[in-house]
């Protein structure tokens, strides 16, 4: 049986197949000439079709050099059929199989109250003679058939099935695998256990305050130390890589025609960055006839929709309108669009993103070289506005350490990756198989990364980055970080519904790393001021005793607190700066001195998230974006 590594060879056509393909292209060219399309356009389209493994018709429509409506109107005239440029979705029934028309628009049934239904078709040039012969044999068919465009058929199918589709989107994961859904915050006995634990802690704090504080100190120390060691190990790997001058090998690009690649971008109140987004996506180095870009908007977001429609969108773009339905989250929008994805692979970008033009090609090459169980690739995110404020500077350091330090280390060791919310690439069929994104999770990226790992799939990293901007003001940063902490809390609660089962599915090393990275990060963020308080108290106590220490436990806790606090600050800064280029380090400057304040406001965000999880678990704190210059 062939393996994934052999995929490029399988796509190389035989001589006979290539000859038939060439004859088909020439036949299409002759038909287009008869329709009045110029020879230069046809010749260029034929060259691209042969290179991309497509048709001349596909290349012409993707080029934007011919108008879709005029082209299909000409086909309708050649067949002697009526042309219907627009389709009323209210006259289309939401029947089984309707969703196939949003992937491959070919045929719709239009119903009327006072006359027989009409079948709307999207004829293809390759089957035009066959269709003409059928109509010649059965002339009455002309009364019940009309021609329309792929865009009109696709739009009518989206609209006709909108309510059924949005309901399925919000319910599918919960109904098929409720264990993996965050729709219920505390599952089964989790609420009971949480209440018992809280009650026990309060009782212990009242009856045995000293012992309780000591135990809390020890637990926090161990979690802090584990987090520190993981990041210290990532720093060591990064330092050795830098000293050796080696980088991870880039995969050679496969030969042969490229598959369709889908791009999903969820937008809400993003009219200010619409033009910047389209300009960035237009620069992607991928054949336009092989691109499927879906701009996903809430249907009541009139400003963003108007801004997108005012732009000269190329044929590969499609605006998908999501019906108003709770929860109003990014993962719900992505999951709503997933049934319409045409690509073999799919990636997700945010509205403010500027991906490297070669990122899709690198991801495709990596997928082709990787085992089939590798279904996700994460590209690094690079912050480009580090000079704007101390918050954006430390955000840049944090992202450099995470995406270019910690995640590559986890990838190399086969451990689960808590994905970023953008620039992750997936094999589409497997993404659909695992249920897509959880519409109720506020960090759908981390949830999905852990879920696919427990299901036996793996994630890796690629290296061509996506550039984006960090928040520069405290209210915006705090809102975004609160949402992230709430999502990490949801993810931990979902995964810990059956801890023993999770450990069996992921393996004990992955289970332990998950606890350190997610639970340890949450606990250390919530309790960072407490740990500082412990350190201050122990320092005062030792000064009172003139630095003579009789209590060995107090001494070791004091030493661990020093390592945990100042060592964690140091490794946070060092890991980020080690992965940065010289210009990035200059942009950050001396803002790293604000790391203690940065961690304290992270604690504030964590406590806000804990409160929101109880009072408003599915609210999405929107991060506003504005247009920026190039990095």
């Amino acid at each position: 049986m062939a393996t994934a590594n052999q995929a490029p060879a399988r796509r190389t056509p035989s001589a006979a197949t290539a000859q038939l393909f060439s004859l088909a292209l020439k036949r299409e060219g002759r038909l287009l000439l008869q329709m009045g399309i110029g020879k230069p356009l046809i010749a260029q389209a034929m060259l691209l079709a042969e290179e991309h493994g497509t048709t001349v018709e596909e290349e012409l429509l993707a080029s934007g050099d011919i108008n879709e409506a005029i082209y299909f109107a000409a086909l309708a005239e050649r067949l002697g059929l009526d042309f219907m440029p627009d389709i009323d979705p209210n006259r289309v029934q939401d029947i089984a199989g309707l969703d196939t028309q949003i992937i491959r628009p070919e045929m719709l049934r239009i119903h009327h109250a006072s006359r027989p239904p009409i079948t709307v078709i999207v004829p293809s040039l390759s089957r035009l003679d066959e269709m003409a012969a059928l109509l010649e044999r059965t002339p009455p068919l002309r009364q019940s058939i009309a021609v329309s465009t792929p865009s009109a058929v696709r739009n009518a199918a989206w609209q006709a099935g909108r309510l059924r589709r949005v309901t399925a989107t919000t319910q599918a994961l919960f109904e098929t695998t409720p264990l993996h859904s965050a729709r219920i915050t505390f599952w089964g006995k989790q609420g009971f256990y949480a209440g018992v634990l809280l009650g026990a802690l309060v009782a212990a704090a009242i009856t045995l305050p000293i012992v309780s504080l000591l135990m809390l100190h020890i637990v926090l120390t161990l979690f802090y130390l584990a987090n520190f060691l993981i990041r210290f190990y990532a720093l060591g790997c990064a330092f050795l890589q830098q000293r050796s001058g080696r980088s991870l090998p880039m995969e050679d690009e496969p030969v042969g025609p490229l598959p369709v690649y889908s791009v999903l971008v969820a937008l809400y109140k993003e009219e200010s960055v619409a033009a910047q987004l389209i300009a960035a996506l237009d620069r992607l180095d991928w054949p336009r006839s092989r691109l499927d870009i879906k701009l996903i908007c809430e249907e009541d977001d009139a400003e963003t929709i108007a801004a997108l429609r005012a732009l000269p969108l190329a044929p590969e773009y499609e605006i998908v309108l999501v019906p108003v339905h709770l929860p109003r989250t990014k993962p719900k929008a992505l999951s709503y669009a997933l049934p319409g994805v045409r690509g073999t692979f799919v990636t997700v970008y945010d509205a403010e993103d500027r991906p490297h033009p070669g990122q899709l090609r690198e991801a495709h090459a990596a997928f082709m070289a990787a085992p089939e169980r590798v279904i996700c690739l994460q590209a690094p995110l690079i912050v480009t506005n580090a000079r704007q404020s101390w918050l954006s500077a430390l955000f840049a350091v944090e992202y450099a350490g995470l995406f270019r330090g910690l995640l590559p280390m986890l990838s190399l060791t086969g451990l689960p990756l808590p994905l970023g919310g953008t620039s992750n690439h997936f094999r589409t069929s497997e993404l659909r198989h695992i249920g897509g994104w959880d519409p109720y999770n506020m960090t759908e990226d981390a949830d999905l990364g852990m879920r696919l790992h427990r299901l036996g799939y793996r994630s890796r990293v690629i290296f061509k980055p996506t550039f984006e901007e960090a928040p520069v003001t405290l209210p915006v940063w705090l809102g975004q970080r609160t949402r992230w902490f709430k999502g990490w809390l949801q993810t931990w609660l979902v995964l810990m519904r059956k801890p023993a089962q999770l450990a069996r599915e992921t393996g004990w090393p992955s289970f332990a790393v998950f606890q350190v990275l997610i639970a340890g990060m949450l606990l250390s963020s919530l309790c960072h001021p407490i740990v500082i308080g412990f350190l201050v108290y122990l320092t005062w106590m030792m000064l009172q005793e003139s630095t003579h220490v009789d209590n060995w436990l107090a001494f070791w806790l004091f030493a661990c607190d020093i390592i945990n606090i100042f060592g964690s600050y140091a490794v946070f800064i060092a890991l980020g700066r080690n992965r940065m280029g010289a210009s990035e380090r200059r942009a950050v400057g001396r803002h790293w001195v604000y790391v203690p304040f940065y961690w304290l406001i992270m604690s504030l965000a964590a406590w806000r998230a804990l409160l929101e999880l109880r009072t408003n678990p599915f609210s999405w704190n929107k991060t506003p974006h504005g247009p920026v210059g190039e990095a």
Side-chain angles (χ1 to χ4, degrees):
M1 180 178 292
T3 66
N5 291 332
Q6 297 169 316
R10 289 203 304 268
R11 292 198 300 272
T12 304
S14 65
T17 302
Q19 186 176 10
L20 288 173
F21 183 69
S22 180
L23 289 172
L25 292 183
K26 290 178 181 177
R27 180 179 170 278
E28 283 189 59
R30 286 195 300 271
L31 288 172
L32 290 165
L33 273 174
Q34 294 170 14
M35 293 170 60
I37 297 176
K39 286 184 180 180
L41 280 180
I42 296 173
Q44 178 66 20
M46 289 179 70
L47 289 173
L48 291 174
E50 193 162 4
E51 179 185 348
H52 300 154
T54 57
T55 66
V56 178
E57 182 178 54
E58 286 177 303
E59 293 297 338
L60 278 174
L61 291 170
S63 71
D65 290 326
I66 62 173
N67 181 275
E68 182 188 56
I70 294 174
Y71 175 78
F72 282 96
L75 291 185
E77 184 177 356
R78 189 175 181 87
L79 292 170
L81 296 173
D82 290 336
F83 177 63
M84 189 179 295
D86 299 303
I87 300 172
D88 184 358
N90 295 318
R91 298 189 181 277
V92 178
Q93 291 184 353
D94 185 19
I95 59 175
L98 178 67
D99 286 357
T100 61
Q101 299 306 304
I102 61 179
I103 297 177
R104 189 179 179 86
E106 293 178 331
M107 182 185 301
L108 274 183
R109 192 82 160 162
I110 310 299
H111 296 266
H112 296 272
S114 58
R115 53 192 175 94
I118 292 177
T119 300
V120 175
I121 64 169
V122 179
S124 63
L125 200 61
S126 60
R127 302 186 63 183
L128 198 64
D129 289 345
E130 181 183 334
M131 187 67 194
L134 175 63
L135 293 170
E136 190 70 27
R137 291 194 304 269
T138 52
L141 280 178
R142 297 182 189 277
Q143 306 303 315
S144 59
I145 297 178
V147 171
S148 190
T149 66
S151 298
V153 170
R154 192 180 291 118
N155 182 64
W158 274 115
Q159 292 300 308
R162 55 192 286 279
L163 297 180
R164 180 258 310 165
R165 201 176 294 112
V166 75
T167 301
T169 295
T170 56
Q171 296 179 356
L173 184 64
F174 179 75
E175 291 180 348
T176 55
T177 51
L179 190 68
H180 297 166
S181 171
R183 183 172 174 177
I184 297 176
T185 301
F186 290 102
W187 178 273
K189 295 182 180 179
Q190 280 185 322
F192 171 75
Y193 290 144
V196 169
L197 178 62
L198 182 61
L201 289 175
V202 171
I206 294 173
T207 57
L208 300 168
I210 302 300
V211 174
S212 299
L213 284 174
L214 179 62
M215 295 305 297
L216 176 63
H217 197 167
I218 292 172
V219 168
L220 291 178
T221 296
L222 293 175
F223 269 108
Y224 254 92
L225 193 58
N227 248 309
F228 167 76
L229 291 175
I230 285 180
R231 283 164 173 79
F232 188 77
Y233 178 72
L235 175 61
C237 292
F239 182 74
L240 289 175
Q241 179 184 327
Q242 186 184 55
R243 285 290 299 271
S244 66
R246 296 195 309 266
S247 60
L248 293 177
M250 302 287 285
E251 304 294 346
D252 294 331
E253 187 170 333
V255 297
L258 296 172
V260 175
Y261 215 117
S262 291
V263 176
L264 302 183
V265 186
L267 303 99
Y268 183 62
K269 298 188 181 303
E270 300 285 10
E271 60 274 10
S272 62
V273 295
Q276 174 183 280
L277 170 67
I278 302 306
L281 297 179
D282 282 345
R283 288 192 291 270
L284 290 174
D285 179 18
W286 198 262
R288 310 323 286 181
S289 60
R290 303 275 82 191
L291 267 179
D292 166 39
I293 302 178
K294 289 180 167 33
L295 308 172
I296 313 163
C297 303
E298 297 287 328
E299 67 178 11
D300 63 345
D301 185 9
E303 292 81 6
T304 302
I305 297 168
L308 291 173
R309 287 178 173 165
L311 296 169
L313 297 180
E316 65 266 20
Y317 288 91
E318 179 182 10
I319 299 175
V320 176
L321 303 182
V322 183
V324 176
H325 192 290
L326 295 176
R328 303 194 71 170
T329 62
K330 173 186 169 183
K332 185 203 73 176
L334 295 175
S335 290
Y336 180 84
L338 187 58
V341 164
R342 296 189 294 112
T344 304
F345 306 104
V346 58
T347 185
V348 176
Y349 293 125
D350 284 341
E352 75 277 16
D353 285 352
R354 289 158 289 150
H356 188 288
Q359 193 180 109
L360 300 191
R361 288 189 180 269
E362 184 191 6
H364 174 240
F367 274 128
M368 291 297 97
E372 290 185 359
R373 69 173 186 159
V374 175
I375 71 164
C376 177
L377 301 171
Q378 174 68 62
L381 306 181
I382 295 180
V383 170
T384 59
N385 64 332
R387 295 183 188 276
Q388 284 191 263
S389 76
W390 69 274
L391 274 173
S392 60
L394 291 179
F395 202 113
V397 172
E398 183 180 8
Y399 261 31
L402 173 62
F403 287 102
R404 290 179 273 172
L406 183 62
L407 293 190
M409 182 273 289
L410 294 174
S411 174
L412 286 173
T413 52
L415 293 167
L417 266 63
L419 302 174
T422 173
S423 306
N424 26 60
H425 301 249
F426 301 95
R427 299 182 191 267
T428 305
S429 59
E430 285 82 356
L431 179 61
R432 287 187 175 125
H433 177 69
I434 66 174
W437 298 269
D438 181 359
Y440 293 92
N441 196 301
M442 298 299 107
T443 51
E444 76 291 340
D445 41 8
D447 167 73
L448 187 57
M450 298 303 302
R451 180 164 22 115
L452 67 87
H453 191 89
R454 75 182 301 185
L455 293 173
Y457 298 108
R458 292 297 177 264
S459 301
R460 289 185 178 175
V461 296
I462 54 178
F463 304 99
K464 292 192 186 306
T466 294
F467 300 100
E468 65 176 34
E469 304 296 297
V472 296
T473 63
L474 184 57
V476 173
W477 184 96
L478 199 56
Q480 183 187 69
R481 196 56 62 109
T482 297
R483 186 183 79 235
W484 290 359
F485 274 115
K486 184 166 60 174
W488 291 326
L489 281 164
Q490 288 177 309
T491 299
W492 186 82
L493 287 170
V494 166
L495 290 166
M496 289 299 289
R497 286 168 176 174
K498 294 184 178 181
Q501 179 179 328
L502 177 67
R504 289 194 302 270
E505 290 171 346
T506 62
W508 284 102
S510 294
F511 180 81
V513 169
F514 159 70
Q515 296 300 336
V516 172
L517 290 181
I518 304 297
M521 179 267 297
L522 290 168
L523 191 61
S524 60
S525 295
L526 288 167
C527 297
H528 190 66
I530 298 174
V531 174
I532 292 176
F534 284 144
L535 178 61
V536 170
Y537 171 74
L538 288 173
T539 302
W540 174 81
M541 186 178 70
M542 297 177 78
L543 289 174
Q544 290 293 104
E545 297 176 4
S546 303
T547 71
H548 177 71
V549 180
D550 295 323
N551 189 328
W552 65 270
L553 181 58
F555 171 77
W556 284 111
L557 285 175
F558 173 79
C560 287
D561 285 346
I562 292 290
I563 295 172
N564 284 338
I565 294 177
F566 296 104
S568 294
Y569 292 162
V571 79
F572 174 90
I573 297 166
L575 182 58
R577 287 177 59 85
N578 177 274
R579 299 287 79 196
M580 286 178 157
S583 62
E584 291 179 274
R585 289 194 290 270
R586 285 195 299 271
V588 170
R590 297 184 180 277
H591 286 132
W592 53 264
V593 300
Y594 295 107
V595 164
F597 301 102
Y598 194 71
W599 281 40
L600 284 172
I601 60 174
M602 274 201 280
S603 184
L604 174 60
W607 281 103
R608 284 184 51 175
L610 191 63
L611 178 63
E612 275 196 18
L613 187 68
R614 175 67 182 86
T615 60
N616 201 3
F618 308 126
S619 66
W620 188 273
N621 298 318
K622 175 74 176 69
T623 304
H625 303 114
V628 295
E630 289 299 320

